Amino acid sequence: DGGITQSPKYLFRKEGQNVTLSCEQNLNHDAMYWYRQDPGQGLRLIYYSQIVNDFQKGDIAEGYSVSREKKESFPLTVTSAQKNPTAFYLCASSIYGGNGYTFGSGTRLTVV
Amino acid sequence: DAKTTQPNSMESNEEEPVHLPCNHSTISGTDYIHWYRQLPSQGPEYVIHGLTSNVNNRMASLAIAEDRKSSTLILHRATLRDAAVYYCILRASNNAGNMLTFGGGTRLMVKP
């Protein structure tokens, strides 16, 4: 079955360390997105990519970096510059210009 | 994209219909109305979307006011599995990046 996979489901990181969250889709979707969700809040857009080798900053890109070397993959790196990285991170994909997003099941990142 | 307003929370009894309202008084003529829902600790899932006419699918119905300044998501028979946060989102048809902006949503509680 086609879908979007995020790994790991839970991640613990020490302060000052970079960490990379994985997002893979086999839906042949052109566009991919990263959102951050804090407890009791809605989703905020971090980065998005419409095609391979191209990506754009969202509303809260500071302290994050991404790459899009393959259509299927859109990894997110949370750098040490992100001051408050503890959150639930959600990856999504869609057909370019299409109406529906498919979301992954999320990665819960905790800084210890 | 224009802004939406939803109640923070609603309660429903199991097996009864639920009407989730959404106000979008600044909607433009080309904005699509999307609904997503998010179960606890999961990524959001697409529910339904529409432009002007009412829409039905296997999950829900979407009733759109004639002036399009409000809409209502209708769950015909709520189950305990429908307890989730429901997001009403507007997406401009000229939003080439296809980004969705999530607000706080409505937390639906279903009582047995």
mmCIF file of all heavy atoms in Angstrom, chain B residues 3-4 7-8 47 61 66 88-89 101 110:
data_model
loop_
_atom_site.group_PDB
_atom_site.id
_atom_site.type_symbol
_atom_site.label_atom_id
_atom_site.label_comp_id
_atom_site.label_asym_id
_atom_site.label_seq_id
_atom_site.Cartn_x
_atom_site.Cartn_y
_atom_site.Cartn_z
ATOM 1 N N LYS B 3 -8.666 33.585 6.750
ATOM 2 C CA LYS B 3 -8.660 32.970 8.070
ATOM 3 C C LYS B 3 -10.002 32.287 8.347
ATOM 4 O O LYS B 3 -11.046 32.697 7.839
ATOM 5 C CB LYS B 3 -8.421 34.069 9.095
ATOM 6 C CG LYS B 3 -8.216 33.621 10.515
ATOM 7 C CD LYS B 3 -7.987 34.831 11.408
ATOM 8 C CE LYS B 3 -8.131 34.465 12.871
ATOM 9 N NZ LYS B 3 -7.000 33.746 13.380
ATOM 10 N N THR B 4 -9.966 31.257 9.175
ATOM 11 C CA THR B 4 -11.191 30.590 9.609
ATOM 12 C C THR B 4 -11.324 30.689 11.114
ATOM 13 O O THR B 4 -10.329 30.816 11.837
ATOM 14 C CB THR B 4 -11.177 29.099 9.208
ATOM 15 O OG1 THR B 4 -10.092 28.452 9.884
ATOM 16 C CG2 THR B 4 -11.002 28.928 7.710
ATOM 17 N N PRO B 7 -15.112 26.872 16.899
ATOM 18 C CA PRO B 7 -15.165 26.748 18.362
ATOM 19 C C PRO B 7 -14.018 25.877 18.847
ATOM 20 O O PRO B 7 -13.577 24.967 18.145
ATOM 21 C CB PRO B 7 -16.528 26.086 18.607
ATOM 22 C CG PRO B 7 -16.929 25.497 17.304
ATOM 23 C CD PRO B 7 -16.279 26.297 16.240
ATOM 24 N N ASN B 8 -13.529 26.168 20.048
ATOM 25 C CA ASN B 8 -12.408 25.394 20.572
ATOM 26 C C ASN B 8 -12.769 23.938 20.808
ATOM 27 O O ASN B 8 -11.956 23.042 20.595
ATOM 28 C CB ASN B 8 -11.914 26.003 21.889
ATOM 29 C CG ASN B 8 -11.192 27.311 21.695
ATOM 30 O OD1 ASN B 8 -10.639 27.565 20.626
ATOM 31 N ND2 ASN B 8 -11.205 28.155 22.703
ATOM 32 N N VAL B 47 -10.515 14.846 5.336
ATOM 33 C CA VAL B 47 -11.912 14.442 5.516
ATOM 34 C C VAL B 47 -12.724 14.761 4.266
ATOM 35 O O VAL B 47 -13.320 13.874 3.647
ATOM 36 C CB VAL B 47 -12.544 15.141 6.742
ATOM 37 C CG1 VAL B 47 -14.018 14.749 6.869
ATOM 38 C CG2 VAL B 47 -11.788 14.775 8.018
ATOM 39 N N SER B 61 -20.278 14.890 5.472
ATOM 40 C CA SER B 61 -20.864 15.811 4.498
ATOM 41 C C SER B 61 -20.383 17.213 4.811
ATOM 42 O O SER B 61 -20.106 17.543 5.966
ATOM 43 C CB SER B 61 -22.392 15.776 4.560
ATOM 44 O OG SER B 61 -22.875 14.515 4.191
ATOM 45 N N GLU B 66 -24.744 29.687 1.278
ATOM 46 C CA GLU B 66 -24.884 30.255 -0.061
ATOM 47 C C GLU B 66 -23.891 31.390 -0.307
ATOM 48 O O GLU B 66 -23.353 31.518 -1.405
ATOM 49 C CB GLU B 66 -26.319 30.762 -0.244
ATOM 50 C CG GLU B 66 -26.700 31.001 -1.686
ATOM 51 C CD GLU B 66 -28.195 31.223 -1.850
ATOM 52 O OE1 GLU B 66 -28.980 30.692 -1.042
ATOM 53 O OE2 GLU B 66 -28.553 31.952 -2.788
ATOM 54 N N CYS B 88 -10.708 23.249 9.977
ATOM 55 C CA CYS B 88 -11.320 23.855 8.787
ATOM 56 C C CYS B 88 -10.267 24.787 8.181
ATOM 57 O O CYS B 88 -9.736 25.664 8.871
ATOM 58 C CB CYS B 88 -12.571 24.625 9.200
ATOM 59 S SG CYS B 88 -13.302 25.662 7.918
ATOM 60 N N ILE B 89 -9.949 24.600 6.923
ATOM 61 C CA ILE B 89 -8.836 25.317 6.297
ATOM 62 C C ILE B 89 -9.274 25.832 4.935
ATOM 63 O O ILE B 89 -9.969 25.125 4.191
ATOM 64 C CB ILE B 89 -7.632 24.360 6.102
ATOM 65 C CG1 ILE B 89 -7.186 23.760 7.432
ATOM 66 C CG2 ILE B 89 -6.469 25.083 5.427
ATOM 67 C CD1 ILE B 89 -6.330 22.530 7.272
ATOM 68 N N THR B 101 -2.687 26.054 5.795
ATOM 69 C CA THR B 101 -2.420 26.738 7.063
ATOM 70 C C THR B 101 -3.433 26.263 8.092
ATOM 71 O O THR B 101 -4.638 26.494 7.939
ATOM 72 C CB THR B 101 -2.512 28.259 6.879
ATOM 73 O OG1 THR B 101 -1.555 28.658 5.891
ATOM 74 C CG2 THR B 101 -2.218 28.973 8.185
ATOM 75 N N VAL B 110 -16.699 12.746 22.147
ATOM 76 C CA VAL B 110 -17.867 11.909 21.927
ATOM 77 C C VAL B 110 -18.123 11.087 23.183
ATOM 78 O O VAL B 110 -17.241 10.336 23.629
ATOM 79 C CB VAL B 110 -17.673 10.991 20.709
ATOM 80 C CG1 VAL B 110 -18.918 10.131 20.494
ATOM 81 C CG2 VAL B 110 -17.367 11.815 19.462
#
